Amino acid sequence: MKILLVEDEKGLIVTLTDRLTSEGFDVTSAADGKLGFDLACTQQFDMILLDVMLPKKNGYDVARDLRQKGIQTPILMLTAKGETIDKVLGLKLGADDYLTKPFEVMELLARIEALLRRRPSQTEAAINGAFRFGDVGVDFKRAEVTKSNTPVELSAMEFRLLQFFIENRGSVHSRDDLLDAVWGYDAMPTTRTVDVHVAWLRQKLEDNPKHPQYIQTVHGFGYKFTA
Ligand code: CA
């Protein structure tokens, strides 16, 4: 697993590189935002740890520009204490999660693991960029969905769930598996969450939500997407 660490605090670079390397990660570090952006554009990473306050190009601009270029590598933003508004902005601009400094390395590792688990988004969708079933079109790069060429508004979680279904179509998934794969560490520990999101997706995408053609219930086990 290759991690790009974009951080300008020398002490933190050394500490994190040591710890992540000892956990088996291959760490590349960049001490300013411009170098970090260039590396992320030219090399393949599994994850980007991105500081906000950086020389040359700040973390928000790096995240936004990477997403604009269609680079979907998971981004974990490292924000300083008290930058609450910044967290929201970071997530809006394309970060997948954030962690407030100072943090325990164990906490960082847990976040990294959770983001990597959600990574099916990096495989097929990133390569193909789009998927169609029936009159529904999904554009993974833009995170846009249409039905009969009309835009459909999906929440971030609905989109993630749909993407997981598409990438794992034909397989049956238990509610617990879906919670793990789609919601990750921050999951409210309730399988009801899954049912609710499935119902919303059916409502928005199926011709007849009561008799779904694509997102099917497998009684006694979970759900299956077929297309
Ligand atoms: Ca900094």
Side-chain angles (χ1 to χ4, degrees):
M1 288 291 175
K2 292 186 67 179
I3 292 188
L4 174 61
L5 170 63
V6 191
E7 171 63 66
D8 61 325
E9 278 172 50
K10 289 203 175 65
L12 203 50
I13 296 173
V14 172
T15 315
L16 290 181
T17 304
D18 277 1
R19 281 304 305 272
L20 291 170
T21 304
S22 71
E23 295 291 332
F25 293 102
D26 179 353
V27 183
T28 303
S29 64
D32 70 67
K34 195 183 168 305
L35 178 60
F37 177 76
D38 291 344
L39 283 171
C41 289
T42 51
Q43 295 182 29
Q44 190 71 43
F45 293 97
D46 297 292
M47 160 95 42
I48 301 170
L49 303 181
L50 183 59
D51 184 28
V52 172
M53 297 302 286
L54 287 165
K56 295 189 184 168
K57 188 177 177 93
N58 71 48
Y60 303 130
D61 291 348
V62 173
R64 184 200 57 212
D65 291 353
L66 286 176
R67 294 306 187 234
Q68 261 172 15
K69 284 193 73 152
I71 293 167
Q72 295 297 324
T73 312
I75 296 175
L76 174 55
M77 282 206 131
L78 309 175
T79 67
K81 216 174 187 177
E83 291 178 338
T84 318
I85 297 163
D86 297 350
K87 291 170 188 169
V88 177
L89 184 61
L91 292 175
K92 238 178 153 170
L93 292 176
D96 295 274
D97 198 0
Y98 59 83
L99 194 54
T100 307
K101 294 178 191 174
F103 49 79
E104 297 290 328
V105 177
M106 288 311 288
E107 173 67 10
L108 175 68
L109 290 171
R111 298 292 181 96
I112 290 174
E113 205 176 294
L115 281 177
L116 289 177
R117 255 192 280 128
R118 290 178 187 167
R119 229 170 32 116
S121 58
Q122 286 302 295
T123 56
E124 194 185 339
I127 295 161
N128 294 334
F131 186 80
R132 289 201 71 84
F133 58 99
D135 61 354
V136 176
V138 185
D139 182 328
F140 293 110
K141 287 207 171 117
R142 294 167 177 273
E144 285 172 1
V145 177
T146 54
K147 182 165 170 64
S148 306
N149 296 318
T150 306
V152 177
E153 290 286 330
L154 293 190
S155 71
M157 271 318 183
E158 287 164 3
F159 190 83
R160 264 192 225 276
L161 179 62
L162 176 64
Q163 185 164 350
F164 182 83
F165 274 138
I166 290 171
E167 291 180 332
N168 297 279
R169 56 190 179 277
S171 309
V172 183
H173 310 286
S174 71
R175 291 169 175 81
D176 283 329
D177 287 349
L178 290 170
L179 271 180
D180 274 357
V182 179
W183 278 263
Y185 77 93
D186 51 357
M188 290 285 154
T190 162
T191 50
R192 172 84 187 128
T193 308
V194 176
D195 295 333
V196 169
H197 281 77
V198 164
W200 285 335
L201 275 184
R202 282 174 172 163
Q203 204 63 44
K204 292 174 181 180
L205 304 177
E206 296 275 0
D207 290 338
N208 182 350
K210 287 209 160 60
H211 298 282
Q213 187 183 347
Y214 303 108
I215 306 171
Q216 296 171 0
T217 302
V218 180
H219 289 289
F221 196 75
Y223 296 104
K224 177 171 113 169
F225 179 87
T226 44

